[in-house]
Amino acid sequence: MNGGYMGKLLYVNLTENRTREIGLPESFARKYLGGKGFGAKLLYDLVDEDVDAFSPENVLMFLTGPLTGTAVPAMRAVVVTKSPLTGTINDSYFGGHFGQELKYAGYDGLIIQGKSQTPVYLYLDAENRKLLDARKLWGLDIFETNKIIKNKLYDKRAKVACIGPAGENMVKFACIDCDPHRQAGRGGTGAVMGCKNLKAIVIKGNSLVPVADPNEFMKLLDKTHNSFPEEGNNLTDSGTPGNLDFANSQGFFPNNNYQDGVVEGADDEIGARAQRDIFWLKDWGCSGCIIRCGKIGKLRNGKYIGTTGDTTEYETLGLIGGNLGLKKIDAITYIANLCDRYGMDTISTGGVIGFAIECFQKGILGTEDTDGLELEFGSEKEIIQLVKNIAKRKGIGDLLAEGVKLASLEIGQDARNYAIEVKGLEVPAWTPRGTNSMALAYMTNDRGACHMRAFGIGTELENGEYPGGQIEHLNPEGIGGFVAWLQNQTSACWSVVQCAFGTDLIDEDLVLKYIKAVTGMELTKEEFATIGERVWNITRLFNLRENFTREDDDLPKRFKEEPLPSGPSKGHKITQKDREIMLDEYYEARGWDKNGVPTIEKLSLLGLDNIENEDKLF
Amino acid sequence: MARLVTNFDLCTGCKTCELVCSLRKMGGFNPNKALLYLQEELEGFGTQPVVCAQCQNPFCQQACPTGAIQRNQDTGALKIDGETCIGCGLCAENCPLGVIQKNGDIYMKCDLCGGDPLCVEKCPTGAIKLIDMLAKKEVDSI
């Protein structure tokens, strides 16, 4: 490799208070590329099935890709760990500048294992890599932690990844904040960091990310910049809230614990227009990114005046807004800010609170269970109290901090009927009853109900085509191959580590040209596609080893039994028969058997038939 | 004669300027090594690009013991001559803006890329502009 990669990973053992550099062989980079690919293989090698997510042996990894830290727009990094929420592999992506700084410190990735006796933080710069006392930081929220590290301990150019009280309390959907407002959000990354007694990672890098062919690189960068309109695109204009009008009009927007897919009036009351009126101040871009989908701002009036933050994102609008019956943008923004402060995923927080409210309404939970709180959809004060209780694991918050799946099993009775999760991961803001492709994606995605592994809604609504053929909206046939194809594609892109919002700007051709210019490594489209499929299969092998089966590739009961009450797909649900058709076709398209186990032929085509022994970095 | 002029409200914090500067001047990517930087304001809620002022009364030039810093008469930029620089670091120490960086054994500062500054060219929002001081207008190069 002549550039792009830094050529080494840093292994940190918190139990033994030691660090060690691990060389990155070129063959490993070529086979797994980076990000998700590195993470899948390393997690497979390092974390056996008998290792609990909260065991010191679980690893917490921060991984970059070959283009992270260069000027190519929309490149990110990823946290990979075994999820305490799902027990699956969990890869959780973040923008900003922290992943880039890790490369400037000279590393393609950070692999953290073990558990410190007392709270510590990791500091990395050109000369140092040390674990330092964090007892004075423990208990501080995300913003306070950042402030002290940047204003008192180091300086404002230091990049910080940290957890808040939710991570310290091992709330199973706690996130890691990677410089304020960019989070490794889903699957409980922050809980794993908290259980290791690791409060923060602080980096100040002094190394250069080398580039194999700078002239070619600048030509490609010109092409990318010139192809982007000066005024930007939809994301520049409205950020992710721009999705709301579309999702709501198509019946994908969650309403009151997913009972419906439309929220009357949400477009105007909580979408981009509402945020622009009272919240947003200016556009904000991640490292090298010209899309600038971030919208930083400050609430300018109302009860929560002065609350600062980045965009109240589409997913937050869905789960804290629609799903909890809240239609006030200032309240949603304030609650999102609370979640950011405590370090909790807003999607799962909204999912678990929506579940609690419905259980209360159905009489499964009473005031004796909720510490006296009268729960109902839209009850701002009680919702805010629940968010605080979850972060602190107080009262019913302690149960809800376990996530929807465990909480529903613990409560018993009919609570499972209102638990909207797949493999333990709360469903995001794209209700799947009007889209078979998203339904199948939720069923089969490696970390459960995730919308970022196979987003085929646009193609499905248009009865569009993919290289495997044409698909038809609401027809379960033909969807299996489509979803597998999408997952393979994203799996390759997430190994680069590309941001989902940059894949239009920088398509596959251009990604491969950038990889060549930066690293010198020439990859064909076929090789790139194979990497995606290979990585997806490793995640499947990991989950199978964790005893996940075909039975787990399923949807919440609500989506299978209750027809969608409104929107263009009104009356539709994903029947058991639909599920079987889609799963059978999906497994077949993947070269897996009827139980969803990759065949040995498929594994050997992907170079994974000897995965137990090959390509081990440890 | 030209100067860089920066604009707080157009800057989106993306560091494209720092990234391309570090590639051109240092030979690889690292915004911390660029010859300009984004100063965080408002607790991270905005960034002000800080660039070399090409001072009329340059502390760096006065502090340099070997006369390595000379002004280019066409661009108006002060450049450190790599052959004459002995790497003592007095220029960087005396720069009030902190925009002089070490590169290997010598120091480097913004020379307006010889009249065609890459930060100006690549900033996606026009937050850094090149102003021709004689014509008093914005230009692409000088």
Side-chain angles (χ1 to χ4, degrees), chain A residues 354-419:
Chain A
F355 159 80
I357 297 175
E358 191 168 5
C359 284
F360 192 90
Q361 288 197 329
K362 297 281 188 326
I364 299 169
L365 290 174
T367 44
E368 66 282 7
D369 304 302
T370 61
D371 319 297
L373 293 177
E374 296 271 354
L375 301 184
E376 62 178 311
F377 288 107
S379 59
E380 191 176 311
K381 201 173 136 220
E382 286 73 17
I383 290 166
I384 289 172
Q385 193 56 49
L386 278 185
V387 170
K388 293 179 177 171
N389 290 358
I390 291 170
K392 295 171 184 165
R393 278 190 175 268
K394 259 174 59 184
I396 193 173
D398 192 32
L399 176 67
L400 300 180
E402 294 294 304
V404 159
K405 184 178 179 183
L406 276 182
S408 67
L409 290 169
E410 180 74 28
I411 293 168
Q413 306 176 57
D414 290 335
R416 282 299 291 154
N417 295 347
Y418 314 113

Side-chain angles (χ1 to χ4, degrees), chain A residues 32-64:
Chain A
Y32 306 102
L33 210 52
K36 179 169 187 148
F38 284 6
K41 175 65 167 126
L42 285 164
L43 195 73
Y44 189 87
D45 288 347
L46 295 170
V47 178
D48 287 334
E49 70 270 31
D50 53 354
V51 173
D52 185 83
F54 285 148
S55 150
E57 286 168 72
N58 190 12
V59 292
L60 180 70
M61 299 183 278
F62 292 77
L63 300 158
T64 66

Side-chain angles (χ1 to χ4, degrees), chain A residues 258-324:
Chain A
Y258 292 93
Q259 295 180 56
D260 202 345
V262 178
V263 174
E264 208 71 45
D267 316 21
D268 286 324
E269 288 166 56
I270 64 175
R273 291 182 288 282
Q275 295 195 40
R276 196 172 280 121
D277 278 351
I278 66 159
F279 181 39
W280 294 349
L281 289 170
K282 68 184 285 188
D283 299 344
W284 199 238
C286 296
S287 176
C289 194
I290 55 180
I291 301 172
R292 50 195 192 270
C293 70
K295 308 278 164 261
I296 51 179
K298 194 181 240 185
L299 282 177
R300 296 188 277 278
N301 56 43
K303 208 155 133 192
Y304 305 105
I305 189 166
T307 301
T308 53
D310 204 323
T311 326
T312 303
E313 304 280 2
Y314 170 77
E315 291 296 324
T316 305
L317 297 174
L319 272 298
I320 302 289
N323 205 45
L324 302 184

Side-chain angles (χ1 to χ4, degrees), chain B residues 2 6 17 28 52 60 63 72 75 93 103-106 114 125 129 137:
Chain B
T6 67
C17 53
C52 174
C60 58
N72 177 307
T75 62
E93 262 174 53
N103 184 21
D105 296 333
I106 58 161
T125 60
K129 292 183 164 69
K137 61 170 192 183

Side-chain angles (χ1 to χ4, degrees), chain B residues 99-120:
Chain B
V99 288
I100 302 183
Q101 291 261 11
K102 194 166 188 186
N103 184 21
D105 296 333
I106 58 161
Y107 280 78
M108 291 189 81
K109 68 173 290 301
C110 172
D111 64 352
L112 296 175
C113 292
D116 215 355
L118 199 55
C119 53
V120 173

